[in-house]
Amino acid sequence: MALAARRTPLALALLAAIALLFARDGADWVRGYGGGDTAHEAFSPAAEREVAAYIAAHSPTGAGILVWALAPGIYALADRHPVTRYPFHRLLLTDAPLAREVPGRDERRAELLAQIAVDPPVFVVLGNHDANPFEPDSITSLLGFPALATIVERDYHEVMKTGHFVVLERNPAPR
C-alpha cells in the first residue's frame, strides 16, 4: 500500500506535465495557424484552392498549365493538365543539389521547352518567397533557367497573387 501511495503523486505529476506540454503546443499551433500569422496561412491549402479556382474559372477544361512551385496539387484542384510529365518538375529542373544528382537535367529542360512550344500553358503559377531546405525559392530557380524565364517574362502577365503564389496568364496573340 505504501508503494501505491508513492506512485500516485508521481503519476499525477507526470500527467500534469504532459497536459502542460499539450496545452503549450496547442497554443503555439493556434498562434501559428489560427489566423494571425500570414506566413503560415500563405502555405495553407486554401491558397492552392484559391489559385486552382481562379484557373478553373478562367480557362477551358483542356487547357494546360505550369505550376513552377512545389504545389502539384494545383493541377488536380484546377482540373487542368500539366505541360510537363514530372510532378515535381521545378525540383528536377533547377540548380538545386538534388536536381544536379539526377542525371539528364539538360534533357528534361529541353523536353519542357519543346512541350511549351507545342502546348503553351494558359497560366503559369509561380511560387513566391517559398524557399525550402533543398532549393532556393521559385523565382530564383526560374532565373536559373534563362530559356524558361525569357518565355515567362515575354509571354505572360500577372493576374493574381495569393499566399505564396503569383498567377500569370498568357498574353493574347498579337493581331
Side-chain angles (χ1 to χ4, degrees):
M1 184 120 163
L3 184 57
R6 280 187 279 169
R7 284 189 196 165
T8 302
L10 181 60
L12 289 175
L14 186 57
L15 285 173
I18 291 170
L20 192 60
L21 286 173
F22 277 118
R24 189 194 71 191
D25 287 347
D28 288 345
W29 187 90
V30 167
R31 272 193 301 282
Y33 297 96
D37 185 349
T38 58
H40 293 307
E41 287 177 11
F43 285 111
S44 76
E48 289 185 27
R49 285 192 302 271
E50 188 176 345
V51 166
Y54 182 89
I55 290 170
H58 294 90
S59 64
T61 303
I65 64 172
L66 176 65
V67 179
W68 192 260
L70 294 177
I74 291 173
Y75 293 116
L77 291 169
D79 193 23
R80 300 300 182 265
H81 73 270
V83 294
T84 173
R85 65 184 175 117
Y86 302 105
F88 284 101
H89 50 277
R90 186 192 108 185
L91 186 63
L92 290 170
L93 297 168
T94 67
D95 290 322
L98 181 59
R100 289 192 303 260
E101 294 294 320
V102 180
R105 185 188 66 162
D106 291 339
E107 291 82 7
R108 289 189 302 274
R109 283 182 169 193
E111 180 184 330
L112 176 63
L113 294 173
Q115 183 62 32
I116 287 174
V118 171
D119 181 19
V122 174
F123 289 99
V124 173
V125 179
L126 294 176
N128 189 22
H129 301 294
D130 62 346
N132 65 65
F134 304 106
E135 62 178 341
D137 64 274
S138 295
I139 303 296
T140 301
S141 68
L142 178 63
L143 294 174
F145 186 175
L148 180 59
T150 298
I151 291 169
V152 170
E153 182 180 0
R154 180 191 66 215
D155 298 343
Y156 292 83
H157 64 279
E158 183 179 315
V159 292
M160 174 190 187
K161 273 187 183 177
T162 185
H164 280 266
F165 299 106
V166 177
V167 180
L168 307 171
E169 184 175 19
R170 192 172 62 229
N171 295 331
R175 296 179 191 210

